[in-house]
């Protein structure tokens, strides 16, 4: 049956949206006052566990459960989602005695849980319930009950989970972030679990991870001329060439900007590079964070720099473009 489209004005559309948000916000305002001994118990159970948090729920509770499991895992609490139906067909084998079960059901009467609860009890796996029914079988089986009950769903028919699903999400976030703070999980820990994200790039990537190496390093000997430097600048396209002794120590640097200024002052391509190079020149330590290197390049108003190791030997080079390509800045 095709959906019927009824005439409706813009003000009415906005009103429907505002009414839903107002109802959901109203129900959510009750949650802080419900955090008490059960919330503390839930946190203590998870903090004490040597295993994982196994999150489970079906329907909309399952969808939100997946998000809660992901939030826990990414903020320092090992966790995974287990679908209740799949649990009854083999996935329950993933649960171990040292784990904690976080079971989500607004009614607390999901039939799949009726079979799972005694099995978890036999394994001595602690149960935390997120439910709107404190007198349900799920609540009675749990060591901690997180109350997400509502007076009214924002759905006008009272059928689609709206206010209740929002409360579930908020309670899961409260649990995940409380545990994160209790564990003193900081931005560096977060970056390690999000290495592909922008924060991971900023906090984990070092200069040595993004620098140019080998033949990509522009370098010439102190016996070279400006012409030799120009060829090396053209070959690598870095905008910078290093003048190094036979032990690979940097004696000075010469940039494409230096070349232009030299020629404008009637210098020649046959000039000795040692007479026109900048000495000693700026350099970057290999173990600096890449974001720190970018800041220093900007602070010194330069676009490229050599990279040295702890023995002050040239081992690489990079410019601002290399850093941007790596997700820095």
């Amino acid at each position: 049956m095709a959906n019927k489209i009824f005439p409706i004005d813009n003000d009415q559309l906005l009103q429907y949206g505002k009414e839903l948000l107002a109802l959901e916000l109203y129900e959510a305002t009750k949650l802080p006052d419900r955090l008490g001994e059960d919330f503390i118990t839930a946190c203590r159970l998870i903090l004490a566990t040597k295993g994982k948090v196994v999150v489970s729920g079906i329907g909309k509770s399952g969808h939100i459960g997946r998000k809660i499991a992901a939030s826990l895992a990414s903020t320092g609490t090992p966790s995974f989602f287990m679908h209740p139906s799949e649990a009854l067909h083999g996935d329950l084998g993933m649960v171990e005695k040292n784990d904690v079960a976080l079971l989500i059901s607004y009614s607390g009467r999901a039939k799949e849980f009726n079979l799972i609860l005694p099995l978890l009890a036999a394994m001595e796996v602690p149960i935390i319930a997120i439910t709107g029914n404190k007198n349900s079988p799920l609540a009675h089986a749990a060591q901690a009950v997180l109350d997400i009950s509502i007076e009214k769903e924002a759905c006008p028919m009272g059928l689609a989970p709206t206010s209740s699903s929002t409360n579930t999400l908020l309670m899961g976030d409260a649990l995940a972030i409380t545990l994160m703070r209790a564990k003193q999980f900081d931005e560096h820990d977060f970056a390690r679990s999000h290495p592909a994200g922008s924060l991971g790039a900023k906090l984990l990537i070092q200069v040595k991870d993004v620098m140019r190496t080998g033949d990509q390093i522009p370098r010439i000997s102190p016996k070279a001329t400006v012409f030799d430097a120009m060829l090396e600048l053209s070959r690598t396209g870095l905008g910078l060439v290093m003048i190094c002794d036979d032990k690979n120590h940097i004696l000075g640097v010469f940039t494409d900007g230096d070349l232009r200024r030299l020629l404008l002052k009637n210098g020649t391509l046959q000039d000795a590079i040692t007479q026109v190079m900048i000495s000693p020149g700026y350099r970057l330590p290999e173990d600096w964070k890449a974001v720190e290197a970018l800041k220093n390049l900007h602070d010194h108003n330069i676009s490229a720099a050599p990279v040295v190791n702890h023995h002050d030997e040239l081992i690489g080079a990079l410019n601002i473009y290399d850093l941007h390509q790596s997700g820095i800045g």
Side-chain angles (χ1 to χ4, degrees):
M1 179 179 178
N3 291 331
K4 296 180 180 179
I5 300 177
F6 297 96
I8 185 170
D9 61 39
N10 293 339
D11 289 341
Q12 189 63 63
L13 291 173
L14 288 174
Q15 185 60 31
Y16 288 160
K18 291 178 180 179
E19 286 177 1
L20 180 136
L21 293 174
L23 278 168
E24 291 198 1
L25 289 170
Y26 168 72
E27 295 292 354
T29 59
K30 304 173 188 176
L31 289 179
D33 291 336
R34 295 181 190 162
L35 299 189
E37 288 300 320
D38 279 68
F39 186 79
I40 294 172
T41 299
C43 291
R44 291 294 181 192
L45 285 171
I46 296 173
L47 289 170
T49 186
K50 297 179 180 179
K52 304 169 293 297
V53 177
V54 182
V55 183
S56 189
I58 200 161
K60 300 297 187 296
S61 294
H63 294 314
I64 295 173
R66 291 181 188 277
K67 190 274 179 188
I68 294 173
S71 294
L72 287 166
S74 69
T75 53
T77 300
S79 177
F80 68 90
F81 179 81
M82 178 182 68
H83 193 283
S85 296
E86 297 298 328
L88 296 173
H89 294 277
D91 280 5
L92 199 60
M94 296 188 294
V95 183
E96 300 177 317
K97 184 176 181 179
N98 289 329
D99 294 338
V100 173
L102 178 61
L103 307 185
I104 307 169
S105 170
Y106 185 79
S107 69
R109 298 182 183 279
K111 61 181 181 179
E112 291 84 359
F113 285 168
N114 292 337
L115 298 173
I116 293 173
L117 289 171
L119 297 174
L120 294 176
M123 295 171 62
E124 299 182 355
V125 172
I127 296 169
I128 300 168
I130 297 182
T131 182
N133 187 352
K134 298 177 72 174
N135 293 314
S136 63
L138 173 59
H140 291 154
Q143 282 71 51
V145 179
L146 305 181
D147 182 10
I148 55 164
S149 61
I150 59 168
E151 293 178 21
K152 183 180 180 181
E153 293 284 11
C155 167
M157 297 179 292
L159 299 176
T162 45
S163 300
S164 59
S165 57
T166 298
N167 275 11
T168 305
L169 180 64
L170 291 173
M171 188 63 77
D173 284 346
L175 190 60
I177 301 306
T178 298
L179 293 167
M180 180 189 78
R181 296 179 69 177
K183 294 181 177 184
Q184 297 184 354
F185 188 89
D186 62 20
E187 59 183 9
H188 290 87
D189 298 315
F190 191 87
R192 278 189 284 273
S193 63
H194 297 74
S198 59
L199 180 62
K202 290 179 180 179
L203 295 179
L204 298 181
I205 296 179
Q206 295 182 309
V207 167
K208 61 185 176 184
D209 298 322
V210 296
M211 68 185 183
R212 304 183 188 197
T213 59
D215 290 341
Q216 293 181 309
I217 304 174
R219 74 184 104 193
I220 55 177
S221 79
K223 297 179 181 180
T225 64
V226 172
F227 180 75
D228 297 319
M230 182 184 71
L231 293 178
E232 190 70 350
L233 286 169
S234 300
R235 182 185 72 83
T236 59
L238 184 71
L240 173 77
V241 61
M242 279 70 73
I243 299 87
C244 299
D245 62 19
D246 55 5
K247 294 183 180 180
N248 217 27
H249 292 135
I250 302 171
L251 303 176
V253 298
F254 189 75
T255 70
D256 49 10
D258 294 329
L259 175 61
R260 289 191 296 272
R261 286 185 287 272
L262 174 69
L263 296 178
L264 286 173
K265 293 179 179 179
N266 298 319
T268 72
L269 296 179
Q270 285 70 45
D271 290 345
I273 193 64
T274 53
Q275 300 301 310
V276 295
M277 68 183 185
I278 305 300
S279 182
Y282 185 73
R283 57 201 70 187
L284 295 168
E286 63 173 328
D287 54 1
W288 268 17
K289 294 287 190 296
V291 66
E292 185 179 10
L294 180 61
K295 180 181 182 303
N296 277 267
L297 290 177
H298 283 308
D299 289 347
H300 287 82
N301 197 30
I302 54 178
S303 61
V307 180
V308 296
N309 61 19
H310 296 294
H311 302 292
D312 204 33
E313 297 167 333
L314 176 67
I315 60 168
L318 83 163
N319 62 14
I320 288 177
Y321 177 76
D322 298 328
L323 293 165
H324 289 321
Q325 284 290 96
S326 302
I328 309 298

